[in-house]
Amino acid sequence: MKDDVQPRLRPSWLLLGPAFVAAIAYVDPGNVAANVSAGAQFGFLLLWVIVVANLMACLVQYLSAKLGLVTGSSLPEAVGARMKRPTRVAYWVQAELVAMATDLAEVVGGAIALYLLFDLPLLIGGVITGAVSLVLLIVKDRRGQRMFERVITGLLMVIAIGFLSSLFAKAPPVDAAAAGLIPRFDGAESLLLAAAMLGATVMPHAVYLHSGLARDRHGHPEPGPRRRMLLRVTRWDVGIAMLVAGAVNLSMLLVAATNLQGMDNTDSIEGAHAAVQSTLGPTIALLFAIGLLASGLASSSVGAYAGAMIMQGLLRRSVPLATRRLVTLLPALVILAVGVDPSRALVLSQVVLSFGLPFALIPLVRLTGDARVMGADVNHRVTTALGWVVAALITLLNVVLIYLTVAG
């Protein structure tokens, strides 16, 4: 009886962590590119998009973690269990393409950061990013999930400092920033950027991953007080982690809108870095590059971790860690080796991710709203309704993103 009671008395803050790993997906290099471009081109106009995207992310990530806790299965496992093998394999193929596109953005971002910091060729920077992410995965494999959570959370704090520091150099005008909270667009280009910002925020691999992270950290508690406590802690975990990620994304757009609006060549990360250096000085530019590097390293390891979980859940097999790392790393290195424009590669990766989002969101909302799956912890009808609205809106905006990108 004592062993059963003791975990309930444990301070809740010690149970935080899984959402901070998932939150890395919300501050990856794709977010940097989209948010800086939005601020530089349209000022504070699209500030509201970040707020809305973050609120959507809170709901989506909580539902994912809830599914893992209540069912004891990750989202890929839960989906795969309801499919016959041919369908399951086809579903895995699209999820694997999503994992590759994710890694493309993260590795390219890390390579750009190393180029900005040390003038390294992009291909060498990509190899270093992949190698460091493999080391982080080995830490997870050897030292366990809690140590991995601590390392990733530390990198998240480095990212936050790297980008939030710019706000202290030159504060944005409060009136103009407040006006950006009113939802509106200014032509097709602003709609395209809004869709890109949303696509860079809510990402398929984070939806797949969080269910497994919560399950692996907390187990599969039986219905009762402990499960209710863990679900309550999970809501705090998601809320705090998304607050940090949202603050970082807001800072990217605010800094760009305040300092880079109207400047040339700010549609690339390198151009944005150069503009930051010329307007805010070398120290802020250095912190910007360090934040970008931490973003690339952390998000690359988290993306590879998600890919392993997707493969295990859908194909019901695991592969050696180094092999798993190479599966998604090689396409990114090929892109860097053939000389494709890195900023263009980031945009294309977001388009591929757009294809994958409905395959993650629709099953998530359906499963967590099914009493046969969730029992007494099934979503409230309002929660399920909000989930369907979020899934439909994100799917619609990503279709718009794909169309406008191809048409453009």
Side-chain angles (χ1 to χ4, degrees):
M1 186 68 179
K2 182 178 178 181
D3 291 340
D4 182 59
V5 174
Q6 185 65 27
R8 300 180 198 171
L9 301 178
R10 199 173 173 194
S12 295
W13 63 268
L14 291 176
L15 300 172
L16 301 178
F20 286 82
V21 176
I24 286 294
Y26 294 85
V27 290
D28 75 343
N31 290 86
V32 179
N35 293 331
V36 170
S37 293
Q41 291 185 48
F42 294 99
F44 303 98
L45 179 75
L46 299 178
L47 196 66
W48 65 273
V49 176
I50 294 177
V51 177
V52 171
N54 222 59
L55 292 174
M56 290 180 176
C58 285
L59 175 62
V60 168
Q61 294 305 139
Y62 173 67
L63 292 183
S64 178
K66 180 181 178 182
L67 177 72
L69 275 173
V70 172
T71 66
S73 299
S74 67
L75 179 57
E77 288 171 343
V79 171
R82 289 158 176 80
M83 291 179 174
K84 295 183 179 180
R85 180 172 174 76
T87 308
R88 195 170 70 247
V89 171
Y91 190 92
W92 169 76
V93 169
Q94 66 81 26
E96 194 66 44
L97 289 174
V98 164
M100 290 180 181
T102 299
D103 219 28
L104 172 61
E106 329 304 27
V107 171
V108 168
I112 292 174
L114 288 169
Y115 168 74
L116 295 175
L117 288 167
F118 307 110
D119 203 27
L120 288 176
L122 290 177
L123 180 58
I124 294 176
V127 171
I128 292 173
T129 301
V132 173
S133 66
L134 178 60
V135 171
L136 294 177
L137 290 172
I138 292 173
V139 168
K140 187 267 174 189
D141 198 46
R142 300 281 177 84
R143 302 294 299 276
Q145 184 172 320
R146 293 189 187 186
M147 179 58 71
F148 183 69
E149 288 174 3
R150 293 186 187 118
V151 172
I152 295 300
T153 301
L155 287 171
L156 178 60
M157 294 304 106
V158 172
I159 296 167
I161 293 170
F163 290 111
L164 287 170
S165 61
S166 305
L167 292 178
F168 295 97
K170 185 177 180 181
V174 177
D175 292 345
L181 297 175
I182 302 172
R184 63 194 192 281
F185 296 104
D186 183 16
E189 181 66 21
S190 67
L191 182 60
L192 172 61
L193 268 174
M197 291 163 66
L198 187 62
T201 302
V202 184
M203 301 184 73
H205 75 285
V207 180
Y208 291 122
L209 179 64
H210 203 165
S211 55
L213 288 170
R215 185 269 316 274
D216 293 346
R217 176 68 185 276
H218 302 308
H220 178 209
E222 295 295 323
R226 177 165 173 76
R227 180 186 286 183
R228 289 196 296 271
M229 182 271 288
L230 287 172
L231 288 172
R232 185 169 62 252
V233 169
T234 296
R235 286 193 288 271
W236 278 100
D237 193 25
V238 171
I240 296 171
M242 290 299 106
L243 181 63
V244 173
V248 172
N249 283 316
L250 282 171
S251 71
M252 294 175 193
L253 191 146
L254 288 171
V255 168
T258 304
N259 303 286
L260 311 183
Q261 190 175 3
M263 296 182 68
D264 295 330
N265 301 320
T266 54
D267 54 346
S268 68
I269 292 178
E270 303 99 305
H273 176 265
V276 167
Q277 184 165 345
S278 65
T279 56
L280 297 178
T283 301
I284 297 300
L286 175 64
L287 291 172
F288 179 97
I290 291 173
L292 178 64
L293 178 60
S295 170
L297 297 176
S299 56
S300 182
S301 63
V302 169
Y305 184 10
M309 186 174 291
I310 290 167
M311 177 178 281
Q312 189 165 9
L314 293 171
L315 297 188
R316 298 170 185 171
R317 65 177 64 179
S318 57
V319 297
L321 199 60
T323 303
R324 178 63 246 179
R325 171 69 283 199
L326 286 173
V327 167
T328 51
L329 178 62
L330 280 176
L333 295 182
V334 169
I335 291 292
L336 292 174
V338 299
V340 175
D341 177 62
S343 296
R344 181 63 178 169
L346 281 173
V347 172
L348 292 176
S349 72
Q350 301 307 309
V351 174
V352 175
L353 292 175
S354 301
F355 281 107
L357 264 171
F359 291 98
L361 293 178
I362 292 172
L364 176 66
V365 177
R366 184 174 179 182
L367 288 168
T368 54
D370 189 340
R372 294 169 297 179
V373 176
M374 303 295 288
D377 293 299
V378 65
N379 291 342
H380 190 280
R381 289 181 180 178
V382 174
T383 303
T384 298
L386 286 174
W388 284 122
V389 169
V390 168
L393 185 57
I394 289 176
T395 300
L396 176 62
L397 280 176
N398 279 282
V399 169
V400 171
L401 172 62
I402 293 167
Y403 172 77
L404 291 177
T405 302
V406 172

